[in-house]
Amino acid sequence: MSLRQFEYALAVAQEGSVTAAAELLHVAQPSMSQQIRNLERELGVQLFARTPTGLVPTVVGRAFLREAEAAVSAARRAKRSFHLG
Amino acid sequence: MSLRQFEYALAVAQEGSVTAAAELLHVAQPSMSQQIRNLERELGVQLFARTPTGLVPTVVGRAFLREAEAAVSAARRAKRSFHLG
DNA sequence: TCATTTTACGTCGCGCGTAATGATG
DNA sequence: CATCATTACGCGCGACGTAAAATGA
């Protein structure tokens, strides 16, 4: 369970497909597909429903994505926090 | 820049030394020392001042740690988010 | 047949532990 | 010399990309 996987899941949710999310983040599409599955496997939960045209978040997926968004945002703030103080 | 590194930095800040933080998180002490340095190198900032008795956060370190805490908390909530909805 | 995801597989970076070294009182 | 951190080094896992296969309209 890594920040990178969180970013992947958020991108998939935003783009609606693994393919679009992968090119958005400049990674190979199978790599992203694999990481989404790894994340679901580790959590023991299906985050996305597979449709012929892409992936759509499940109910539990949406709950997860809200927290993942908070985690990624906080991590980005952490990365830049020293620019202020 | 990973969640694990965030947890390491928080543990070091809490415990006041790499040694204590390492045994708290059940990792070898040099491994944690290395990760702290990797984190500082990646950020380009010294997060902790080295003293003979351990490590104490710098000013920028404290700013970083606040955000890191938020990121780790959010990640933990994400991990358990599906237990509710 | 075209768009998608998934599986298979080899590679490479990196996080880890052990051991050795450095630094400080 | 005791106690801390750091450096050195090798191992193993996992994230990645390429290629091939599956699935569906």
Side-chain angles (χ1 to χ4, degrees):
Chain A
M1 202 194 59
S2 67
L3 282 172
R4 188 131 183 90
Q5 286 173 329
F6 286 11
E7 291 171 344
Y8 284 6
L10 290 168
V12 167
Q14 172 186 321
E15 298 294 320
S17 85
V18 172
T19 301
E23 68 183 36
L24 179 69
L25 298 191
H26 307 100
V27 298
Q29 182 268 334
S31 301
M32 173 158 302
S33 181
Q34 192 63 54
Q35 286 311 303
I36 296 296
R37 292 188 81 80
N38 287 352
L39 183 57
E40 290 180 324
R41 178 172 50 80
E42 179 173 351
L43 295 174
V45 167
Q46 186 172 2
L47 299 176
F48 296 95
R50 274 65 175 178
T51 79
T53 66
L55 274 65
V56 295
T58 59
V59 173
V60 295
R62 287 195 292 273
F64 172 87
L65 288 163
R66 279 195 296 271
E67 306 296 343
E69 164 67 28
V72 169
S73 296
R76 288 179 181 150
R77 284 197 303 274
K79 191 172 192 172
R80 318 201 180 284
S81 59
F82 53 83
H83 290 159
L84 319 167
Chain B
M1 201 194 60
S2 67
L3 282 171
R4 190 130 183 90
Q5 286 174 329
F6 286 12
E7 291 171 344
Y8 284 6
L10 290 168
V12 167
Q14 172 186 320
E15 298 294 319
S17 85
V18 172
T19 302
E23 68 185 35
L24 178 68
L25 298 191
H26 306 99
V27 298
Q29 182 266 337
S31 301
M32 174 159 301
S33 180
Q34 192 62 56
Q35 286 310 302
I36 296 295
R37 291 188 81 81
N38 287 352
L39 182 57
E40 289 180 325
R41 178 173 50 80
E42 179 174 350
L43 294 173
V45 166
Q46 186 173 3
L47 299 176
F48 296 94
R50 273 66 177 177
T51 79
T53 66
L55 274 66
V56 295
T58 60
V59 173
V60 296
R62 287 194 292 272
F64 171 87
L65 288 163
R66 279 194 297 273
E67 306 297 342
E69 165 67 28
V72 169
S73 295
R76 288 178 180 151
R77 285 196 304 272
K79 191 172 191 172
R80 319 201 179 283
S81 60
F82 52 83
H83 290 159
L84 321 167

